[in-house]
Amino acid sequence: NDSMIKKAGYYLFAAFFALFRLFPLREDKVFFVATHDDSPEGNVGIVAEALRRRRPEMKLCFLTRRDGIRHPITFFVIRAYQMATSGTIFMDNEFMPMAYTRVHPKAKVVQLWHGTGSIKRIGLDVETGQVAELAKRANRRITHLIVNSERMKKQYARAFGVPEEKTYVLGLPRTDLILDGECMEQKRESFYAKYPQLRAKKCVLYAPTFRDDEVDDPRLALDLAEWTRQADQDEVLLLRLHPHVAANFSEDVLAAYGDSVINVSAYPGVTTLLAVADCLITDYSSIIYEYCLFDRPMIFYAYDLQKFRENGRDFYEDYENYVPGPVVQNQSDLVKIWRQEGEWKEKVADFRREVYEFLDKNAVNRLFELIFHI
């Protein structure tokens, strides 16, 4: 079965890793685990680009979603060698083979994670059984867990099973990118170069979170025909689906809607999409932590709130009171709310103050000072 195959893969990676541990550790070599977001806009991509600029002599190596058992030599041999001999390892996700590896005592393992915060429970707060045991063992390798605020420190330390003294409140690299107005303007322009027909449109980004039971049977909880009937001429709906759902989503569904509905799930980098979105519709996604920096309205289409609370991952906070925008549970209410201006500004500002310790574009500087002393 799947879990046995995965476990065998973890063992094999760890066996090669143990062999390559016999080689000298290279302080000038950095290994990036970007299995969640390997775009230039993810935390890992931003750190890699900053390192290229500041320390061009360093050797950078990457493990992404595209690596894996389909490319066995690359994954089990080359990536294991690169990882075992790197002085610093940056990660944006859990990497389960680490449950069976022993990293060099001088190596730094830096968990950046891929989200700036989380509404829904993550890591050891939801994982159970063998998965939790593996995650716990893998996370023991973490030497530095980077978080956004004091509020997140306890939450993330517990979710990763990492002591609080190894958890550092520095801010996340992606925040630097979003706060760089000139850079965001360039990214907007690159988006409009690809979709010139959207330049004068009002873009609504629908980015629902991943539900564990939808991998093989992706469902769109939005009636697109109804949405386009209600939408104004100058409004366009951008769909950003989770990679697992997007892989099984049929483009044929959208054929009838022309440029009124566009699937941007494969667009490289969600930050650009947040920059062009005039409004965000989501449910339990962590992208609200980034979108609140744009100071624009958010609507929470939580159509399965009770089910998610009971059978899903549940939440860290009282959902309805915590999220910075109105919560609706059906599409007709969604359309009504969408037509109102609402009092979202104050809610978004309060939320931003609560979840951000720093808004100074210096997260990468603080990180490099801690890890590389530069």
Side-chain angles (χ1 to χ4, degrees), residues 36-70:
H36 188 275
D37 183 357
D38 59 0
S39 79
E41 298 180 2
N43 283 322
V44 160
I46 291 164
V47 170
E49 186 49 41
L51 262 185
R52 281 191 192 104
R53 284 198 313 271
R54 296 189 206 181
R55 299 286 294 273
E57 76 282 2
M58 290 190 111
K59 180 171 172 55
L60 311 185
C61 311
F62 296 84
L63 185 150
T64 71
R65 269 202 308 265
R66 288 182 293 277
D67 294 317
I69 53 173
R70 287 182 193 159

Short mmCIF file of all heavy atoms in Angstrom, two decimals, residues 36-70:
data_model
loop_
_atom_site.label_atom_id
_atom_site.label_comp_id
_atom_site.label_asym_id
_atom_site.label_seq_id
_atom_site.Cartn_x
_atom_site.Cartn_y
_atom_site.Cartn_z
N HIS A 36 6.70 22.65 -1.05
CA HIS A 36 5.37 23.27 -1.06
C HIS A 36 5.30 24.39 -2.08
O HIS A 36 4.37 24.47 -2.86
CB HIS A 36 4.99 23.79 0.32
CG HIS A 36 3.57 24.26 0.39
ND1 HIS A 36 3.18 25.54 0.02
CD2 HIS A 36 2.43 23.62 0.74
CE1 HIS A 36 1.88 25.65 0.15
NE2 HIS A 36 1.39 24.52 0.59
N ASP A 37 6.29 25.29 -2.06
CA ASP A 37 6.28 26.44 -2.98
C ASP A 37 7.70 26.68 -3.48
O ASP A 37 8.54 27.19 -2.75
CB ASP A 37 5.76 27.68 -2.25
CG ASP A 37 5.66 28.91 -3.16
OD1 ASP A 37 6.05 28.81 -4.34
OD2 ASP A 37 5.19 29.97 -2.69
N ASP A 38 7.96 26.26 -4.72
CA ASP A 38 9.31 26.45 -5.27
C ASP A 38 9.38 27.67 -6.19
O ASP A 38 10.32 27.83 -6.96
CB ASP A 38 9.78 25.19 -6.02
CG ASP A 38 8.86 24.83 -7.18
OD1 ASP A 38 7.85 25.54 -7.39
OD2 ASP A 38 9.13 23.83 -7.88
N SER A 39 8.38 28.56 -6.07
CA SER A 39 8.38 29.76 -6.91
C SER A 39 9.33 30.81 -6.30
O SER A 39 9.69 30.72 -5.13
CB SER A 39 6.97 30.35 -6.99
OG SER A 39 6.67 31.07 -5.80
N PRO A 40 9.71 31.83 -7.08
CA PRO A 40 10.57 32.89 -6.55
C PRO A 40 9.86 33.72 -5.47
O PRO A 40 10.50 34.52 -4.80
CB PRO A 40 10.88 33.77 -7.77
CG PRO A 40 10.44 32.99 -8.96
CD PRO A 40 9.39 32.04 -8.51
N GLU A 41 8.54 33.51 -5.30
CA GLU A 41 7.77 34.30 -4.34
C GLU A 41 7.56 33.59 -3.00
O GLU A 41 7.01 34.17 -2.08
CB GLU A 41 6.40 34.66 -4.93
CG GLU A 41 6.50 35.51 -6.18
CD GLU A 41 5.14 35.85 -6.76
OE1 GLU A 41 4.12 35.45 -6.16
OE2 GLU A 41 5.09 36.51 -7.80
N GLY A 42 8.00 32.33 -2.92
CA GLY A 42 7.87 31.60 -1.65
C GLY A 42 9.00 31.98 -0.71
O GLY A 42 10.00 32.58 -1.12
N ASN A 43 8.87 31.62 0.56
CA ASN A 43 9.92 31.94 1.53
C ASN A 43 11.28 31.42 1.11
O ASN A 43 12.29 32.12 1.21
CB ASN A 43 9.54 31.37 2.91
CG ASN A 43 8.47 32.19 3.60
OD1 ASN A 43 8.47 33.42 3.53
ND2 ASN A 43 7.54 31.53 4.27
N VAL A 44 11.31 30.18 0.62
CA VAL A 44 12.57 29.57 0.19
C VAL A 44 13.15 30.30 -1.02
O VAL A 44 14.34 30.61 -1.07
CB VAL A 44 12.36 28.07 -0.10
CG1 VAL A 44 13.46 27.50 -0.98
CG2 VAL A 44 12.30 27.28 1.21
N GLY A 45 12.29 30.60 -2.00
CA GLY A 45 12.76 31.29 -3.22
C GLY A 45 13.34 32.66 -2.92
O GLY A 45 14.34 33.07 -3.51
N ILE A 46 12.72 33.37 -1.99
CA ILE A 46 13.19 34.73 -1.64
C ILE A 46 14.55 34.65 -0.94
O ILE A 46 15.46 35.43 -1.23
CB ILE A 46 12.14 35.44 -0.75
CG1 ILE A 46 10.90 35.74 -1.59
CG2 ILE A 46 12.71 36.73 -0.16
CD1 ILE A 46 9.67 36.08 -0.78
N VAL A 47 14.70 33.67 -0.04
CA VAL A 47 15.99 33.49 0.66
C VAL A 47 17.08 33.12 -0.34
O VAL A 47 18.20 33.65 -0.29
CB VAL A 47 15.86 32.41 1.77
CG1 VAL A 47 17.22 32.03 2.32
CG2 VAL A 47 14.96 32.92 2.88
N ALA A 48 16.75 32.22 -1.27
CA ALA A 48 17.74 31.79 -2.27
C ALA A 48 18.20 32.98 -3.13
O ALA A 48 19.40 33.15 -3.38
CB ALA A 48 17.15 30.69 -3.16
N GLU A 49 17.25 33.80 -3.57
CA GLU A 49 17.60 34.95 -4.41
C GLU A 49 18.46 35.95 -3.64
O GLU A 49 19.44 36.49 -4.18
CB GLU A 49 16.31 35.61 -4.92
CG GLU A 49 16.51 36.74 -5.91
CD GLU A 49 17.45 36.40 -7.07
OE1 GLU A 49 17.38 35.27 -7.60
OE2 GLU A 49 18.29 37.25 -7.42
N ALA A 50 18.12 36.19 -2.37
CA ALA A 50 18.92 37.12 -1.56
C ALA A 50 20.33 36.58 -1.34
O ALA A 50 21.30 37.34 -1.36
CB ALA A 50 18.21 37.35 -0.22
N LEU A 51 20.45 35.26 -1.17
CA LEU A 51 21.79 34.67 -1.01
C LEU A 51 22.61 34.79 -2.28
O LEU A 51 23.82 35.05 -2.23
CB LEU A 51 21.66 33.19 -0.63
CG LEU A 51 21.79 32.80 0.84
CD1 LEU A 51 21.76 31.30 0.99
CD2 LEU A 51 23.08 33.35 1.46
N ARG A 52 21.96 34.59 -3.43
CA ARG A 52 22.67 34.72 -4.73
C ARG A 52 23.27 36.12 -4.85
O ARG A 52 24.37 36.29 -5.38
CB ARG A 52 21.71 34.48 -5.89
CG ARG A 52 21.44 33.02 -6.16
CD ARG A 52 20.70 32.83 -7.50
NE ARG A 52 20.20 31.47 -7.60
CZ ARG A 52 18.92 31.11 -7.43
NH1 ARG A 52 18.01 32.03 -7.17
NH2 ARG A 52 18.56 29.86 -7.54
N ARG A 53 22.51 37.12 -4.40
CA ARG A 53 22.98 38.50 -4.50
C ARG A 53 24.12 38.79 -3.51
O ARG A 53 25.11 39.41 -3.86
CB ARG A 53 21.83 39.49 -4.25
CG ARG A 53 20.86 39.63 -5.40
CD ARG A 53 20.03 40.91 -5.26
NE ARG A 53 19.48 41.07 -3.91
CZ ARG A 53 18.30 40.57 -3.53
NH1 ARG A 53 17.56 39.89 -4.39
NH2 ARG A 53 17.84 40.76 -2.30
N ARG A 54 23.91 38.35 -2.27
CA ARG A 54 24.85 38.75 -1.21
C ARG A 54 26.06 37.84 -1.08
O ARG A 54 27.13 38.28 -0.67
CB ARG A 54 24.13 38.79 0.14
CG ARG A 54 23.05 39.86 0.19
CD ARG A 54 22.54 39.99 1.61
NE ARG A 54 21.18 40.48 1.62
CZ ARG A 54 20.50 40.70 2.73
NH1 ARG A 54 21.05 40.46 3.90
NH2 ARG A 54 19.28 41.16 2.68
N ARG A 55 25.84 36.56 -1.37
CA ARG A 55 26.94 35.60 -1.23
C ARG A 55 27.03 34.74 -2.49
O ARG A 55 26.74 33.54 -2.47
CB ARG A 55 26.70 34.71 0.00
CG ARG A 55 26.64 35.44 1.33
CD ARG A 55 28.00 35.91 1.83
NE ARG A 55 28.87 34.81 2.15
CZ ARG A 55 28.91 34.19 3.34
NH1 ARG A 55 28.10 34.59 4.31
NH2 ARG A 55 29.74 33.20 3.55
N PRO A 56 27.44 35.36 -3.62
CA PRO A 56 27.44 34.62 -4.90
C PRO A 56 28.36 33.40 -4.91
O PRO A 56 28.20 32.51 -5.74
CB PRO A 56 27.89 35.67 -5.92
CG PRO A 56 28.50 36.78 -5.13
CD PRO A 56 27.86 36.75 -3.78
N GLU A 57 29.30 33.36 -3.96
CA GLU A 57 30.24 32.23 -3.94
C GLU A 57 29.60 30.96 -3.35
O GLU A 57 30.14 29.85 -3.48
CB GLU A 57 31.50 32.60 -3.14
CG GLU A 57 31.36 32.63 -1.62
CD GLU A 57 30.66 33.87 -1.06
OE1 GLU A 57 30.22 34.74 -1.84
OE2 GLU A 57 30.55 33.97 0.18
N MET A 58 28.44 31.11 -2.69
CA MET A 58 27.81 29.94 -2.06
C MET A 58 27.15 29.03 -3.10
O MET A 58 26.61 29.51 -4.09
CB MET A 58 26.77 30.38 -1.03
CG MET A 58 27.39 31.02 0.20
SD MET A 58 26.20 31.27 1.53
CE MET A 58 26.78 30.09 2.72
N LYS A 59 27.20 27.74 -2.84
CA LYS A 59 26.59 26.77 -3.75
C LYS A 59 25.17 26.46 -3.25
O LYS A 59 25.00 26.06 -2.09
CB LYS A 59 27.43 25.49 -3.80
CG LYS A 59 26.85 24.43 -4.74
CD LYS A 59 27.80 23.28 -4.92
CE LYS A 59 27.14 22.13 -5.70
NZ LYS A 59 26.59 22.50 -7.00
N LEU A 60 24.17 26.67 -4.10
CA LEU A 60 22.78 26.46 -3.71
C LEU A 60 22.21 25.22 -4.41
O LEU A 60 22.37 25.06 -5.62
CB LEU A 60 21.93 27.69 -4.08
CG LEU A 60 22.46 29.07 -3.65
CD1 LEU A 60 21.43 30.16 -3.98
CD2 LEU A 60 22.81 29.11 -2.17
N CYS A 61 21.55 24.35 -3.65
CA CYS A 61 20.94 23.13 -4.19
C CYS A 61 19.47 23.07 -3.77
O CYS A 61 19.12 23.53 -2.67
CB CYS A 61 21.65 21.89 -3.65
SG CYS A 61 23.44 21.95 -3.76
N PHE A 62 18.63 22.50 -4.63
CA PHE A 62 17.18 22.54 -4.38
C PHE A 62 16.53 21.16 -4.51
O PHE A 62 16.86 20.40 -5.41
CB PHE A 62 16.50 23.47 -5.39
CG PHE A 62 16.93 24.90 -5.27
CD1 PHE A 62 18.09 25.35 -5.89
CD2 PHE A 62 16.19 25.80 -4.52
CE1 PHE A 62 18.51 26.67 -5.77
CE2 PHE A 62 16.59 27.12 -4.39
CZ PHE A 62 17.76 27.56 -5.01
N LEU A 63 15.57 20.89 -3.61
CA LEU A 63 14.70 19.74 -3.73
C LEU A 63 13.28 20.29 -3.83
O LEU A 63 12.84 21.02 -2.95
CB LEU A 63 14.85 18.83 -2.51
CG LEU A 63 14.07 17.51 -2.54
CD1 LEU A 63 14.81 16.46 -1.73
CD2 LEU A 63 12.66 17.63 -2.00
N THR A 64 12.58 19.96 -4.92
CA THR A 64 11.24 20.50 -5.13
C THR A 64 10.23 19.36 -5.32
O THR A 64 10.61 18.19 -5.32
CB THR A 64 11.19 21.41 -6.38
OG1 THR A 64 11.33 20.59 -7.55
CG2 THR A 64 12.31 22.45 -6.35
N ARG A 65 8.97 19.74 -5.51
CA ARG A 65 7.91 18.74 -5.74
C ARG A 65 8.21 17.89 -6.97
O ARG A 65 7.75 16.76 -7.08
CB ARG A 65 6.56 19.44 -5.96
CG ARG A 65 5.75 19.63 -4.70
CD ARG A 65 4.27 19.80 -5.03
NE ARG A 65 4.04 20.82 -6.02
CZ ARG A 65 3.73 22.07 -5.76
NH1 ARG A 65 3.64 22.48 -4.52
NH2 ARG A 65 3.52 22.94 -6.72
N ARG A 66 8.95 18.46 -7.91
CA ARG A 66 9.22 17.72 -9.15
C ARG A 66 10.21 16.58 -8.94
O ARG A 66 10.30 15.67 -9.76
CB ARG A 66 9.74 18.68 -10.24
CG ARG A 66 8.66 19.61 -10.77
CD ARG A 66 9.18 20.50 -11.87
NE ARG A 66 10.15 21.45 -11.40
CZ ARG A 66 9.86 22.62 -10.83
NH1 ARG A 66 8.59 22.97 -10.69
NH2 ARG A 66 10.80 23.44 -10.43
N ASP A 67 11.00 16.65 -7.88
CA ASP A 67 11.87 15.52 -7.53
C ASP A 67 11.00 14.45 -6.88
O ASP A 67 9.93 14.74 -6.36
CB ASP A 67 12.95 15.95 -6.53
CG ASP A 67 13.93 16.94 -7.13
OD1 ASP A 67 14.34 16.74 -8.27
OD2 ASP A 67 14.27 17.94 -6.45
N GLY A 68 11.48 13.24 -6.85
CA GLY A 68 10.67 12.19 -6.20
C GLY A 68 10.98 10.86 -6.84
O GLY A 68 11.92 10.73 -7.63
N ILE A 69 10.16 9.86 -6.51
CA ILE A 69 10.49 8.50 -6.96
C ILE A 69 10.40 8.34 -8.48
O ILE A 69 10.88 7.35 -9.01
CB ILE A 69 9.64 7.43 -6.24
CG1 ILE A 69 8.15 7.74 -6.37
CG2 ILE A 69 10.02 7.32 -4.78
CD1 ILE A 69 7.25 6.66 -5.85
N ARG A 70 9.80 9.33 -9.18
CA ARG A 70 9.81 9.23 -10.65
C ARG A 70 11.21 9.51 -11.20
O ARG A 70 11.51 9.18 -12.33
CB ARG A 70 8.82 10.24 -11.24
CG ARG A 70 7.38 9.86 -11.04
CD ARG A 70 6.46 10.86 -11.69
NE ARG A 70 5.09 10.67 -11.25
CZ ARG A 70 4.16 11.60 -11.33
NH1 ARG A 70 4.46 12.79 -11.80
NH2 ARG A 70 2.93 11.37 -10.93
#
